[in-house]
Amino acid sequence: MKLLYLTTALHPDDYQNIVNIGKSVPNPSNQNFHTKLIAYLEKNHEVRVISRRTNSKKLFTRHQEKDNYIYPGFLNIPIVRNFMTISSGISYGQKWPADYIIVDVLNLTLMELALRIKHKTNIPIIGVVTDNPINLSNVRNIYIQNVFKKAAQCDAFIGLTRSLLNLFNPQHKPTLKIPGFIPLNDLQSEKTTEEFAYFGGALYARYGVDILLDTFKKDPPLKLKVAGHGPLRQEILNLNSESIEFLNIITPEKALELSKMATININPRPFDSALEEYSIPSKLIDYIFAGKPTISTENKPIMNIVGNNVFWIKEVSVYCLTNAMETILAQKETWEAQALEAKKLLEISLGPEQFNQNFINLTKQIKN
């Protein structure tokens, strides 16, 4: 099949380049999710990606025609940028007729582009839903309303949870539920004798990062390496703690490397029924895939896959996190073996072969 994928995620080389020079990058979680899905699709199908970049084209390294990422014309003025993305994207969509359009429904410009291409070519649209827009930070009601209005015109959906798919799909169109994707670029990590805990992600108190920092401020069992972006960034920079090392924003590839080098990976996001109903932390999947012991608050979809091979905690507190680390370090061989078992179970359940069969079944249900 020929698939046209519309996203704000960048080609990994371009993302790496922008991180290296310290420029603002698209949401790392968004980059991580969509580049993994694109990689899954590329294993069995011909994929072209239209990416809505937010930086000057001179920062981008991918300009060869053999590359499958296309960046529409760019002027850094929002209304002009949106117009150019849509107009040049329509032109490309007509020149390269795909069998299906796959689009991030949370981006209104890309969703409008998908609808315009469909209007001219009658190519069905598969919407990718990764979160409830109501749960997003700093968004207006008009944005939320428009997301649901435009998404209703999709022909099928891929989503993280059943509740999320039901939210976007009251008309009961074909759907594919998958909680996430494992990295396909499983490169060998650098060998190290250094022992440390690792966390990478959005630096918000509501995700438990404040408690995580408190855990490592005074005499922790391990040193903490933390990467990411968000409101707590400045607080981390001001800590001046020998036990906490801040790495700023890093690429998904670097994050995976650190997860594989870590002694323990930690997901401190407190359990929230509203969040779990509509989202699954991709970092948790990456931590488990790294094959190292992982501490996390309970997440039922992932627990159903890996069982008790992750150290699940009931609440996020300094005591719980410290106790979990001390237990793992005291029973290191046991927990390292369980971590490898968790990775194996994850690969069986979320691997690209099973996904491709499910994706083909999804397309067979779409009514043209």
Side-chain angles (χ1 to χ4, degrees), residues 335-349:
W335 279 102
E336 285 177 344
Q338 288 186 233
L340 292 175
E341 178 65 16
K343 177 179 180 177
K344 184 173 75 173
L345 293 170
L346 197 71
E347 289 173 329
I348 293 170
S349 182

Side-chain angles (χ1 to χ4, degrees), residues 195 262-263 291-293 309 328-329 331-342:
E195 293 200 332
T263 308
K292 291 297 185 72
N309 292 303
I328 290 173
L329 291 172
Q331 305 168 13
K332 199 170 181 184
E333 287 188 8
T334 298
W335 279 102
E336 285 177 344
Q338 288 186 233
L340 292 175
E341 178 65 16

Side-chain angles (χ1 to χ4, degrees), residues 92 209 243 320:
Y92 186 83
V209 179
S243 58
C320 284

Side-chain angles (χ1 to χ4, degrees), residues 283-338:
K283 69 174 70 64
L284 177 56
I285 292 174
D286 287 351
Y287 293 166
I288 297 170
F289 178 78
K292 291 297 185 72
T294 296
I295 298 168
S296 176
T297 49
E298 294 184 354
N299 181 280
K300 287 182 182 177
I302 304 302
M303 291 175 75
N304 289 339
I305 295 173
V306 303
N308 289 323
N309 292 303
V310 164
F311 197 113
W312 303 109
I313 56 177
K314 296 285 187 182
E315 65 176 15
V316 180
S317 66
V318 172
Y319 171 78
C320 284
L321 290 173
T322 303
N323 178 66
M325 284 189 287
E326 290 175 344
T327 301
I328 290 173
L329 291 172
Q331 305 168 13
K332 199 170 181 184
E333 287 188 8
T334 298
W335 279 102
E336 285 177 344
Q338 288 186 233

Side-chain angles (χ1 to χ4, degrees), residues 12-24:
D13 288 358
D14 292 323
Y15 194 85
Q16 174 75 65
N17 190 47
I18 293 172
V19 168
N20 288 346
I21 61 179
K23 292 288 185 179
S24 175

Side-chain angles (χ1 to χ4, degrees), residues 205 208-216 232 268 270 316-319 321:
V209 179
D210 57 340
I211 305 299
L212 180 68
L213 296 175
D214 288 342
T215 304
F216 285 87
L232 294 179
V316 180
S317 66
V318 172
Y319 171 78
L321 290 173

